Amino acid sequence: MNPFRTCALAAALAAPALGFSQTSPATIEGVFAVGGGGFLQSGNRANFQSDLQHRKDGFGGIEEFRLTKELSKDTIFTLDARALYGDEDYLFDARIVKEEVGYLTFGYQQFRVWYDGTGGYFPPTNTIIHLNNEDLYVDRGSFWFEAATTRADRPNLKIRYEHQFREGKKGSTIQGDYNVPVFGTRSFVPSLYKLDETRDIVTVDLSREAEDYQWVVGARYDRSELDNQRRTNRQPGAAADRKVTSKDQTVTDMFSAHAYTERKFGEKFTFSTGGMITTLDTNLEGSRIYGQGYDPVYDPAYFRRQQRDEGFYDLGGGSQMKQYVFNANLVYQPAKHWTIRPALRFESTRTDTLAHFIETNVGAGPAFVSVGEELEADSDKDWTEFTESVEVRYTGIANWTHSLKAEWLQGDGELSEEIAEHTGVIDLDRDTDITRLTQKYAYTANWYARPGLSLAGQYYYKVRVNDNDNVRDSTVSTADRYPAYITDQDFETHDFNVRLSWRPASLVSLVTRYDYQNSTILSQEAGLGPVESSDYTSHIIAQSVTVNPIPRLYVTASANVTFDQVATPAIDTGIVKNGDNNYFNASLGAGYALSDRDDLYADYYRYQADNYINNSAVSMPYGADEEQDVATLTWVRRQSEHLIYTFKYTYANFTDRAAGGSRDYEAHGLYGKVQYRF
């Protein structure tokens, strides 16, 4: 067992004996609860655990341990702990607070996130490939220590250290390929993403707050280490079966210093400024190697190699980034009902990247000769950005508020790229001038028609213009110019939403919301005219109702309907079709007081999507065609002032026709908890 986990569990159990065994309700109080449950489940276990985030075989332990003790008149100690085996959910959080002086806190937390490693499905041949244990999970956690002063009459200091980690396996969206008879090569073989990441963060802040001003200065050091692998199997079970391991072994060191000030000048002016300087150093290592097993050493004569098995190894290098950010904000109230908020933001970023590696490839058969070439890639980017905004708010009309905000952004920079062989031959030499212009205008209104009835609406328009001018480009006469051939790309968005809150009777409450968004992308490639490459439209309708027909009973219901579509001219090729993302979800909940001691709760949730596009003739099908139902029934028994019992039954059902039923499941779950308050 993880040593931190052991300490958390031991501390949670032993805390009452560590000097906190007094029973006086004036000095000590808390909660102790144990609980657990499990499921009878059929079908896809991995998908079930991913949806409900519980271990199918069961979970249980100390669900809650909360203790509060007065160490003295102005000093309080609190402890929160949790230890649930099966779900691997652990917490230990201790805190000592001394009024008008400061606090000290330290703790450890760990939890498990479940993932489904099931691969894709090819309908015409009813093919799905199982290669790995599909019950995947990632354990995430952190350990922290924080101390701060909280005096009202002087500057206060806060220091915090936190260590975070993420370790485990999850499915990857980059799937391996498989040769389907008659149809040819399709990519639906499951892949694994193996994670091993740590992160250490130290922050120091000094602050002061008074009646008419406040300021903060601070620094942050952030170091992260990645040792991740993406494991892909190409053509499993065939004569060309081979495995690919892509490694990402990156170490980053980030340091930033920041400052913030706010000052009030009378009743009409409040002025604030903020600034930050950041440096980021990144060391790169990694590889992409083919072999008969995962994580191999590169072998130019590896078995079953195929033409164009391109990879690399001995990656080394790094990048350095320096960023400067400054902003200034003013709040001006020229009259009783008017507020004006102008703001200015400046950002400057410089990034230098250098990497060297050996690129590998395989020639044509029958010899399939492997070749290696030492390359070096160098890129430099300078970027400067100014953003101006102003917001005007007016409240002079009875029961109305109006707000209008405008924002403008101007950014320009230069990107230099070079790829050279070890012999000195230049494969790529490119300089690109980049310009970004953005405008956004938003209007918001709120109308409080009468008590219990209000209407809110908002509209915004946003346009972004991206221009890329390749002043020097060695690939002008070649076929592969990506991404340099994109010379102009413009985005335009209209967004409107309205929200109605209505209480027609004292026991009924209604909330209705409608959202509309339309976004278009206009692209222009070198030597070609502009074309609308994408048109996205979204409609979202949401409704919720809460009713209390009698004092003992409440009923609440909500429904959400979404209509999304992405239209693209690529449908003319037959390879890509318009993409729909239409779905419906709804929930229904009720609570009833059976007696003074017993409450009964019922909840139901449903999700449904039907956007399946079977494009198997030329590519892979995509979209969703699935339904999910989850229902729970909970009984809470307050046996006494101190003792409470909870029992819950859960039913869950999921069907996915787009996966040929391979991800379907059905489950029945039981859960119980005993809680004692002291």
Side-chain angles (χ1 to χ4, degrees):
M1 178 178 287
N2 187 297
F4 285 114
R5 182 190 312 167
T6 304
C7 292
L9 179 58
L13 292 171
L18 299 177
F20 305 124
S21 58
Q22 303 177 39
T23 59
S24 172
T27 60
I28 185 169
E29 61 180 20
V31 176
F32 181 79
V34 294
F39 297 88
L40 296 174
Q41 178 259 328
S42 60
N44 190 308
R45 169 174 168 158
N47 191 36
F48 161 76
Q49 294 182 156
S50 175
D51 281 353
L52 271 70
Q53 287 301 310
H54 283 302
R55 184 185 179 202
K56 180 261 179 186
D57 292 337
F59 59 94
I62 301 173
E63 186 166 310
E64 182 182 17
F65 178 74
R66 187 170 67 251
L67 180 144
T68 302
K69 180 179 180 179
E70 296 179 6
L71 300 180
S72 65
K73 184 178 179 180
D74 60 353
T75 305
I76 297 176
F77 171 81
T78 61
L79 174 65
D80 286 290
R82 180 173 60 251
L84 287 175
Y85 175 76
D87 282 352
E88 305 305 308
D89 187 358
Y90 304 95
L91 171 69
F92 175 80
D93 185 5
R95 186 182 185 96
I96 299 176
V97 180
K98 187 174 181 63
E99 293 182 10
E100 301 299 327
V101 176
Y103 66 84
L104 171 66
T105 179
F106 61 94
Y108 174 82
Q109 182 179 23
Q110 176 181 317
F111 59 94
R112 177 163 292 180
V113 182
W114 301 92
Y115 292 95
D116 178 10
T118 306
Y121 171 69
F122 194 67
T125 57
N126 193 31
T127 303
I128 184 169
I129 297 176
H130 301 277
L131 294 179
N132 314 294
N133 178 10
E134 296 169 353
D135 299 347
L136 304 179
Y137 59 84
V138 173
D139 287 326
R140 306 186 65 166
S142 63
F143 167 79
W144 66 88
F145 169 87
E146 183 176 319
T149 61
T150 56
R151 297 185 182 274
D153 57 347
R154 64 188 66 179
N156 287 297
L157 178 66
K158 182 174 76 172
I159 301 174
R160 180 180 176 89
Y161 165 74
E162 183 172 3
H163 173 80
Q164 301 175 352
F165 68 87
R166 189 167 73 137
E167 184 177 5
K169 297 177 182 178
K170 58 188 295 189
S172 171
T173 56
I174 300 178
Q175 299 188 327
D177 56 315
Y178 185 78
N179 189 27
V180 183
V182 179
F183 292 90
T185 301
R186 298 289 190 270
S187 296
F188 57 93
V189 177
S191 297
L192 283 179
Y193 196 24
K194 185 175 180 290
L195 303 175
D196 185 1
E197 304 175 354
T198 61
R199 186 178 181 185
D200 294 277
I201 306 169
V202 179
T203 57
V204 179
D205 288 293
L206 185 66
S207 63
R208 176 69 189 275
E209 185 172 351
E211 183 177 353
D212 59 350
Y213 72 89
Q214 61 174 309
W215 55 263
V216 179
V217 293
R220 174 188 177 105
Y221 174 71
D222 189 334
R223 177 181 175 85
S224 64
E225 297 186 15
L226 310 182
D227 188 7
N228 299 337
Q229 295 183 14
R230 181 176 282 107
R231 298 179 170 184
T232 306
N233 197 161
R234 301 193 60 184
Q235 299 292 329
D241 186 343
R242 65 254 195 237
K243 296 176 174 61
V244 190
T245 305
S246 299
K247 286 187 177 181
D248 177 8
Q249 298 166 306
T250 303
V251 178
T252 61
D253 288 276
M254 185 187 76
F255 175 80
S256 66
H258 60 271
Y260 168 79
T261 65
E262 181 182 287
R263 182 66 185 264
K264 295 181 180 179
F265 299 90
E267 297 182 354
K268 290 188 176 183
F269 291 94
T270 300
F271 182 65
S272 63
T273 61
M276 182 173 67
I277 301 174
T278 303
T279 62
L280 177 66
D281 292 329
T282 303
N283 294 316
L284 301 173
E285 292 185 20
S287 60
R288 175 180 167 87
I289 299 177
Y290 282 76
Q292 288 308 110
Y294 290 117
D295 199 10
V297 176
Y298 176 68
D299 178 5
Y302 64 89
F303 189 48
R304 295 177 179 172
R305 60 191 180 277
Q306 297 293 307
Q307 185 180 6
R308 292 187 292 275
D309 277 357
E310 189 170 359
F312 64 90
Y313 66 95
D314 281 354
L315 170 64
S319 67
Q320 293 79 41
M321 184 201 77
K322 291 185 178 180
Q323 182 186 54
Y324 303 88
V325 179
F326 172 80
N327 63 71
N329 306 272
L330 176 66
V331 179
Y332 173 47
Q333 294 181 288
K336 179 180 179 181
H337 300 293
W338 289 91
T339 303
I340 303 174
R341 301 172 181 265
L344 174 68
R345 184 181 187 275
F346 167 77
E347 177 182 339
S348 176
T349 305
R350 167 77 183 186
T351 305
D352 300 308
T353 303
L354 177 65
H356 51 83
F357 55 94
I358 298 177
E359 183 184 44
T360 62
N361 212 335
V362 178
F368 295 114
V369 176
S370 295
V371 295
E373 183 177 30
E374 189 174 347
L375 298 177
E376 184 175 283
D378 182 14
S379 71
D380 305 306
K381 183 178 181 180
D382 280 303
W383 181 255
T384 303
E385 186 174 282
F386 290 91
T387 305
E388 309 87 31
S389 66
V390 60
E391 181 180 1
V392 179
R393 181 180 173 89
Y394 178 64
T395 60
I397 302 176
N399 301 321
W400 281 87
T401 64
H402 300 269
S403 176
L404 181 64
K405 183 176 182 179
E407 182 177 286
W408 305 271
L409 180 149
Q410 310 87 42
D412 61 80
E414 180 181 353
L415 174 64
S416 176
E417 304 164 283
E418 181 179 289
I419 299 178
E421 301 176 14
H422 73 287
T423 58
V425 176
I426 304 297
D427 290 340
L428 171 67
D429 184 16
R430 179 184 297 149
D431 265 346
T432 306
D433 289 337
I434 306 170
T435 302
R436 303 284 186 268
L437 299 174
T438 299
Q439 297 183 46
K440 181 179 178 180
Y441 304 94
Y443 170 70
T444 303
N446 294 276
W447 178 37
Y448 306 94
R450 58 180 176 82
L453 179 62
S454 63
L455 181 67
Q458 182 188 60
Y459 167 79
Y460 79 78
Y461 170 76
K462 181 177 181 180
V463 59
R464 175 174 172 177
V465 178
N466 305 313
D467 291 326
N468 304 314
D469 183 11
N470 301 298
V471 295
R472 186 177 74 252
D473 187 2
S474 63
T475 67
V476 168
S477 59
T478 65
D480 184 9
R481 296 191 61 196
Y482 183 83
Y485 67 86
I486 303 177
T487 60
D488 182 86
Q489 196 165 57
D490 303 335
F491 299 79
E492 187 177 38
T493 300
H494 297 270
D495 186 285
F496 170 75
N497 65 78
V498 61
R499 182 177 185 271
L500 174 67
S501 298
W502 184 31
R503 185 181 288 273
S506 61
L507 302 177
V508 180
S509 178
L510 306 170
V511 178
T512 305
R513 182 179 175 95
Y514 170 69
D515 290 81
Y516 167 81
Q517 185 179 103
N518 176 255
S519 297
T520 58
I521 302 176
L522 191 68
S523 302
Q524 184 171 1
E525 284 70 37
L528 301 176
V531 61
E532 187 179 276
S533 55
S534 177
D535 186 347
Y536 166 79
T537 303
S538 172
H539 301 270
I540 302 174
I541 303 171
Q543 177 67 58
S544 66
V545 182
T546 302
V547 183
N548 295 100
I550 57 176
R552 286 179 173 270
L553 175 67
Y554 78 85
V555 179
T556 179
S558 65
N560 185 96
V561 182
T562 299
F563 300 96
D564 280 355
Q565 184 181 74
V566 178
T568 169
I571 61 173
D572 295 337
T573 65
I575 298 177
V576 179
K577 298 184 180 295
N578 290 338
D580 291 336
N581 184 29
N582 306 325
Y583 61 89
F584 165 81
N585 57 34
S587 63
L588 177 66
Y592 183 71
L594 297 172
S595 67
D596 293 340
R597 293 176 176 266
D598 300 277
D599 293 330
L600 189 64
Y601 302 93
D603 295 279
Y604 171 71
Y605 170 81
R606 177 172 177 79
Y607 168 81
Q608 181 176 346
D610 186 8
N611 310 295
Y612 183 63
I613 298 175
N614 191 349
N615 208 27
S616 302
V618 292
S619 65
M620 284 294 296
Y622 56 92
D625 186 3
E626 57 191 43
E627 297 179 8
Q628 182 184 35
D629 297 277
V630 180
T632 62
L633 185 65
T634 306
W635 171 43
V636 178
R637 168 75 176 180
R638 289 180 293 278
Q639 187 66 29
S640 67
E641 182 181 354
H642 301 286
L643 190 60
I644 301 174
Y645 300 105
T646 301
F647 300 97
K648 179 188 289 187
Y649 165 75
T650 300
Y651 171 78
N653 183 71
F654 179 85
T655 58
D656 186 357
R657 287 173 287 274
S662 62
R663 301 177 66 235
D664 294 2
Y665 65 79
E666 185 176 32
H668 302 266
L670 293 176
Y671 163 83
K673 181 176 73 171
V674 179
Q675 182 185 79
Y676 180 73
R677 299 178 180 271
F678 55 92

